Amino acid sequence: MSITDERWCSIPGYLAYEASSQGRIRSIERTIIRKDGKPLHIKGRVLAQCTTAKGYKNAGPAGPVHVLVCLAFHGPRPDGLLACHGPLGKTINTPDNLYWGPPSQNLGDDKRRDGTTLFGTRNPAAKLTPDQVTEIMQLAGSMSQTQLANRSGVAQTTDPPNLINEP
């Protein structure tokens, strides 16, 4: 789809903004009345987007682009659902890559697909390296849990496979 095929839709709950089929957000041209009673004309413009620390696009005062596009093209957010990205990942904010989905979908399958899960050594709470887990697994039948934990410098309740397994 080219930019000339771009379609703009109003965003429910955001009277001054529209979202496009290309994942862009714009403010609309409008006139407002200032506190002193005088009219102020505001020109519409496509908003610049920045990328958040978590890799999502944000359109300044309007908010997260994926939420705005989902609102514009898929309607108001149903109770309990979130704006989720489809198989193209979280940087593609087109209507066909967005849907309203349950938090379990957004926090489970989508995070694994997008590589944003904190499995294994990417988890800041990980206590063991992959080599340590391999050693523990090899010794598991020959030593008690307490001995293995002491040898590795972790508590007996530490669950090695869940702390280092890669998706």
Side-chain angles (χ1 to χ4, degrees):
M1 179 186 294
S2 70
I3 251 349
T4 58
D5 297 331
E6 190 170 25
R7 189 167 52 101
W8 293 90
C9 290
S10 61
I11 305 169
Y14 294 78
L15 298 176
Y17 298 99
E18 294 179 326
S20 88
S21 56
Q22 297 288 318
R24 300 192 310 156
I25 306 298
R26 72 179 176 190
S27 61
I28 58 172
E29 190 167 327
R30 62 203 182 276
T31 300
I32 62 170
I33 304 301
R34 300 185 323 188
K35 287 183 181 180
D36 63 7
K38 295 180 181 176
L40 174 65
H41 184 75
I42 300 172
K43 285 185 144 190
R45 65 180 176 88
V46 173
L47 302 180
Q49 295 183 13
C50 64
T51 303
T52 67
K54 293 186 177 185
Y56 294 96
K57 298 288 184 184
N58 196 305
V65 174
H66 65 290
V67 173
L68 299 170
V69 172
C70 209
L71 282 166
F73 287 88
H74 301 303
R77 181 180 64 86
D79 286 343
L81 300 185
L82 303 172
C84 300
H85 287 88
L88 300 177
K90 66 182 176 181
T91 61
I92 307 300
N93 292 307
T94 55
D96 57 339
N97 192 48
L98 297 170
Y99 63 96
W100 295 118
S104 59
Q105 176 73 31
N106 202 37
L107 298 175
D109 295 341
D110 289 0
K111 286 188 93 151
R112 279 189 287 283
R113 181 200 62 229
D114 295 340
T116 57
T117 56
L118 295 179
F119 280 119
T121 54
R122 292 183 59 209
N123 185 330
K127 307 227 182 315
L128 301 168
T129 67
D131 290 341
Q132 287 174 303
V133 172
T134 300
E135 180 183 15
I136 289 169
M137 300 308 267
Q138 290 170 348
L139 296 172
S142 63
M143 298 175 87
S144 72
Q145 287 183 355
T146 302
Q147 290 171 320
L148 288 170
N150 289 339
R151 179 183 176 115
S152 303
V154 295
Q156 181 181 346
T157 55
T158 302
D159 188 5
N162 290 337
L163 287 178
I164 65 88
N165 281 349
E166 302 301 65

